[in-house]
Amino acid sequence: MASAIRIHQFPCLSDNYGVLLHSPATGETISIDAPDASAVLAALSETGWKLTHILVTHHHADHVQGMDELKQKTGCMAIGPANPAIKGLDRTVADGDSFELAGEKVSVIATPGHTLDMLNYHFPASHLLFAGDTLFAMGCGRVFEGTPELMWNSLQKLMKLPPETQVYCGHEYTLSNAKFAIGIDASNPALQARLKEVEAARARNEPTIPTTIGIELQTNPFLRAADREIRAGLAMQDASDAEVFAEIRERKNRG
Ligand code: ZN
Ligand code: FE
């Protein structure tokens, strides 16, 4: 059955995405994070939807700085990780929690690594994942607060979701990620084709998000630490997957 949830994604700040979810059945409207209050308010007036909830992924300013203003102007409630650095949460949730929103079950998946508080929100019935700054198209978040091993464990949780899962992430980093990816996984035909598609889409100023878990499993080098050709290219045939992941992450940091 087709998803009953409607989605409106819009660029904001320099390279962030805002996302609104709306359930016509319940009337609820959810903002994924609050990157920029005025951009979210503009999206609300464009869609005619009334904001009822904010789902917060992590404490970085470009994900929470609009919360205060949105709460004041709309009376919405904010749900997010129990981190005192995030002011104004009405309810905290944690790994493994699930709750009902927009007429659907929402499952909370903790994916620490980029930050220790990172939560992703999975709507299994609609095959939607809001991945914050954990998983990007052909990339992953920089490991600021965790260790590469922790980040790898987090990414593995997402890799187990159904391949058709639509992945919305916090930023449009796809083109630079693709150019890095081709240097790690040059002989991958799916990646070669995707690089061309992404170059064309960005030249037309079109978003490359959402992606899917299935596409990422085929083309995202950070999820392909087990791939024999990638390992051979890194001369890491005998390393663990976590070690290969850490090396790819380190090369991206330097790049
Ligand atoms: Zn972040
Ligand atoms: Fe961010």
Side-chain angles (χ1 to χ4, degrees):
M1 201 185 88
S3 166
I5 290 184
R6 299 212 225 140
I7 301 179
H8 178 68
Q9 176 181 256
F10 50 96
C12 59
L13 304 177
S14 58
D15 51 33
N16 281 73
Y17 278 120
V19 183
L20 294 177
L21 310 184
H22 177 72
S23 165
T26 68
E28 288 164 308
T29 301
I30 303 153
S31 177
I32 304 299
D33 286 326
D36 177 351
S38 47
V40 175
L41 290 167
L44 288 165
S45 71
E46 192 185 318
T47 54
W49 299 340
K50 188 186 172 311
L51 190 64
T52 55
H53 298 82
I54 301 171
L55 288 181
V56 178
T57 61
H58 67 297
H59 69 88
H60 283 162
D62 63 312
H63 298 259
V64 300
Q65 63 198 356
M67 273 176 66
D68 264 2
E69 187 178 342
L70 288 174
K71 288 188 70 180
Q72 276 174 31
K73 292 198 170 153
T74 68
C76 69
M77 76 172 282
I79 301 170
N83 180 349
I86 305 173
K87 309 281 184 234
L89 289 177
D90 300 286
R91 177 177 175 189
T92 61
V93 290
D95 189 45
D97 287 351
S98 61
F99 54 94
E100 177 107 359
L101 199 57
E104 290 199 16
K105 179 183 149 184
V106 184
S107 300
V108 179
I109 306 172
T111 58
H114 176 73
T115 62
L116 292 178
D117 65 351
M118 181 72 76
L119 298 181
N120 293 174
Y121 298 96
H122 182 216
F123 291 62
S126 288
H127 296 295
L128 297 170
L129 177 75
F130 299 93
D133 289 357
T134 297
L135 178 63
F136 295 123
M138 291 171 278
C140 73
R142 238 179 216 267
V143 181
F144 286 122
E145 295 178 7
T147 61
E149 187 155 14
L150 189 66
M151 186 65 154
W152 174 241
N153 286 338
S154 293
L155 290 169
Q156 284 180 287
K157 294 185 187 179
L158 305 184
M159 291 163 71
K160 292 186 186 107
L161 297 176
E164 64 269 35
T165 305
Q166 304 263 323
V167 181
Y168 287 82
C169 52
H171 295 267
E172 177 64 61
Y173 291 155
T174 310
L175 184 54
S176 74
N177 286 342
K179 288 175 178 170
F180 170 78
I182 203 79
I184 296 288
D185 195 11
S187 60
N188 177 345
L191 177 58
Q192 292 161 359
R194 194 175 181 199
L195 173 59
K196 289 200 184 103
E197 284 167 25
V198 163
E199 281 173 334
R202 294 308 296 153
R204 295 188 301 261
N205 205 27
E206 290 170 5
T208 61
I209 306 300
T211 177
T212 69
I213 292 293
I215 290 170
E216 293 312 309
L217 288 172
Q218 285 186 342
T219 59
N220 187 328
F222 295 96
L223 306 187
R224 294 169 55 75
D227 183 79
R228 283 176 52 203
E229 291 192 35
I230 290 179
R231 289 168 155 263
L234 298 170
M236 294 183 78
Q237 288 92 332
D238 300 324
S240 69
D241 289 350
E243 288 167 338
V244 174
F245 167 78
E247 173 63 20
I248 297 171
R249 189 57 261 177
E250 186 53 38
R251 288 181 183 224
K252 180 71 161 69
N253 294 347
R254 292 196 300 259

